[in-house]
Amino acid sequence: MPIEVLHQIQYLCKLISKVEWSGALFYTTEGSIEKPETFKITLKTILPLDMGTSAYTEYNLDERFMDFIEEDFEERCTWKLGHIHSHNSMAVFFSGTDMAELNDNAPAHNFYLSLIVNNAMDFLAKVAFIGEAKKDIKEVPYTAKNVEGHDYIIERQDFQFNSQKLFIFDCQIYSDLQELSITEQFIDQVAKIMIPKPVKTFPRQEPWKNPKEFWTKPSLPAHTNNQKSLFDDWDSPYTPSKQAIDDLAEYDLKAQAIYNFAKELFNYSTQESDELADIEEVLDLLAEYDLSPQEIAKSVITDYAKTFATHFPNASATDFVEYTHETLDLLEDVVMMYPEIKLTIKTITSMINNFISHETKGYKSAK
């Protein structure tokens, strides 16, 4: 990847960072595809052709493509044509849609290059081509039944067997992208400050954990002739205390914040999670990305701490455990409708269990 192409990708990803973009990718080759270990591809340039949505991009090779070739026909007509598109802020991987694109376009080329990039300047490329198997089968007999029900040959015919298969090679990409130059000592120093601080108890019990207790009247004693009945005070309904009302309001606010946090974990769209009606709508949109359960789980757990800090900037480690457990309860309520998040639930559960184990050990050692 020459520096000119790298700069084109950086410019596109900076300018179009919220949605996917795509275009024609031009390249030349050295060596033979028959020896893939020495086969070299050199990118020449990108022709941007589409700014899509947060999960999809497509284009046609229209007059823009023809005009671009004709600008320098003598050189550009010798270039090979491939495909490039972005995954904006998502990881680079070949989704089901991307694999289908390879399958659709490879037959039109001797071999076909597809490159996926993202805003973090991660790159992933594959070369795909069609392999074909042919075999001639001579004088295959057609048989029929005679009067006695026995087979007899009525005719012989030649046949040709033909089968096609898509072959895919992964590319090793070299670019002028500057690698981080960090010493092992510095990496260790950063790792130490990222260890969560120890806490004493898990989880903290708050009165707002069970709002029903504030609205339940004390049980009444058995009614006697000298006592008022329950219906005697019908015009004097029970009024909760101000503390009970305040605690319940706090519960509602935190419950809503946890619900919004759960939505944000799976929100791949450009819409804010608060704008989406419920977690079911978020998961319906997630299905459009055609991600595997493994890809979903990896994406969620990678950004989990960052997303949590955004929603709960003043939360303690105790809050982290408590809110995570409540988030898991929310997800368990919808997992039957969205089985693709089952692995994510297991991953979050494993993470929080390890966190609790680490915190408990850390506290004991501190004592």
Side-chain angles (χ1 to χ4, degrees):
M1 181 185 295
I3 190 68
E4 295 82 7
V5 176
L6 175 62
H7 287 171
Q8 290 175 341
I9 294 172
Q10 290 174 323
Y11 180 79
L12 282 163
C13 287
K14 182 177 181 180
L15 191 66
I16 310 173
S17 60
K18 300 295 184 182
V19 298
E20 295 191 0
W21 56 265
S22 60
L25 180 64
F26 296 93
Y27 63 96
T28 58
T29 63
E30 297 178 35
S32 172
I33 191 68
E34 298 176 43
K35 298 179 179 179
E37 64 279 0
T38 59
F39 188 59
K40 180 181 177 180
I41 295 173
T42 302
L43 304 184
K44 303 301 290 184
T45 192
I46 299 168
L47 176 62
L49 291 172
D50 183 63
M51 182 175 73
T53 68
S54 58
Y56 189 75
T57 179
E58 66 175 351
Y59 58 86
N60 293 317
L61 295 178
D62 51 24
E63 65 277 358
R64 295 171 295 174
F65 173 80
M66 298 306 300
D67 292 342
F68 177 79
I69 296 298
E70 290 175 358
E71 287 175 5
D72 191 355
F73 183 80
E74 186 174 347
E75 179 180 6
R76 294 176 181 174
C77 71
T78 65
W79 293 347
K80 291 177 170 52
L81 174 64
H83 171 62
I84 182 172
H85 77 281
S86 76
H87 273 191
N88 49 73
S89 59
M90 293 190 298
V92 290
F93 59 93
F94 276 77
S95 67
T97 301
D98 298 330
M99 294 302 294
E101 188 273 332
L102 282 179
N103 194 68
D104 291 341
N105 288 311
H109 303 259
N110 292 338
F111 44 85
Y112 180 68
L113 172 66
S114 180
L115 171 64
I116 301 176
V117 305
N118 66 9
N119 298 344
M121 292 298 103
D122 298 322
F123 310 125
L124 184 64
K126 294 181 183 291
V127 171
F129 56 90
I130 297 295
E132 192 170 24
K134 294 181 179 179
K135 184 175 183 179
D136 293 329
I137 306 175
K138 301 293 185 181
E139 296 187 350
V140 178
Y142 281 93
T143 63
K145 301 292 185 181
N146 59 20
V147 176
E148 290 79 19
H150 300 145
D151 291 340
Y152 72 98
I153 297 175
I154 188 172
E155 182 181 308
R156 295 181 183 273
Q157 185 173 338
D158 294 342
F159 286 93
Q160 185 181 71
F161 173 80
N162 192 337
S163 179
Q164 292 186 335
K165 178 180 177 180
L166 181 69
F167 290 85
I168 299 175
F169 289 154
D170 292 324
C171 298
Q172 189 170 2
I173 301 175
Y174 299 91
S175 75
D176 290 326
L177 186 67
Q178 295 296 315
E179 295 289 339
L180 291 175
S181 179
I182 304 296
T183 64
E184 289 294 331
Q185 181 183 17
F186 186 77
I187 293 173
D188 292 339
Q189 291 168 342
V190 174
K192 290 177 182 177
I193 69 171
M194 294 180 68
I195 299 175
K197 296 179 174 61
V199 293
K200 294 184 178 180
T201 59
F202 293 98
R204 180 179 62 190
Q205 296 297 321
E206 293 285 358
W208 46 265
K209 276 290 285 181
N210 183 12
K212 293 181 179 179
E213 63 181 307
F214 304 113
W215 295 96
T216 304
K217 288 188 64 174
S219 59
L220 296 175
H223 179 66
T224 67
N225 291 332
N226 296 327
Q227 294 175 318
K228 290 183 178 181
S229 73
L230 176 63
F231 301 100
D232 292 336
D233 291 327
W234 186 261
D235 58 344
S236 301
Y238 170 71
T239 303
S241 67
K242 182 179 182 300
Q243 182 62 45
I245 294 175
D246 291 343
D247 288 339
L248 187 59
E250 182 182 0
Y251 170 81
D252 288 339
L253 288 173
K254 289 188 177 181
Q256 186 60 53
I258 291 169
Y259 192 82
N260 287 336
F261 167 64
K263 291 194 295 181
E264 183 68 22
L265 289 175
F266 298 92
N267 183 20
Y268 280 68
S269 73
T270 56
Q271 291 179 264
E272 296 294 332
S273 59
D274 292 349
E275 299 174 4
L276 300 172
D278 50 40
I279 195 167
E280 286 83 357
E281 184 177 354
V282 173
L283 294 173
D284 286 338
L285 289 173
L286 177 66
E288 297 179 6
Y289 288 83
D290 198 22
L291 302 176
S292 69
Q294 291 81 4
E295 291 164 344
I296 295 172
K298 181 180 179 181
S299 177
V300 169
I301 205 66
T302 298
D303 294 332
Y304 190 91
K306 179 181 177 182
T307 306
F308 186 92
T310 301
H311 284 260
F312 308 104
N314 300 317
S316 66
T318 302
D319 295 328
F320 180 71
V321 174
E322 184 177 334
Y323 298 171
T324 295
H325 282 144
E326 295 192 27
T327 300
L328 288 169
D329 290 342
L330 286 172
L331 299 180
E332 290 288 357
D333 290 340
V334 298
V335 70
M336 292 297 293
M337 295 176 56
Y338 303 94
E340 63 271 19
I341 70 169
K342 185 179 296 184
L343 181 60
T344 301
I345 293 174
K346 290 183 179 179
T347 304
I348 296 175
T349 301
S350 176
M351 177 274 295
I352 201 62
N353 288 340
N354 289 335
F355 180 82
I356 292 173
S357 176
H358 178 274
E359 288 298 299
T360 304
K361 292 177 181 177
Y363 174 64
K364 288 180 178 178
S365 62
K367 290 179 66 178

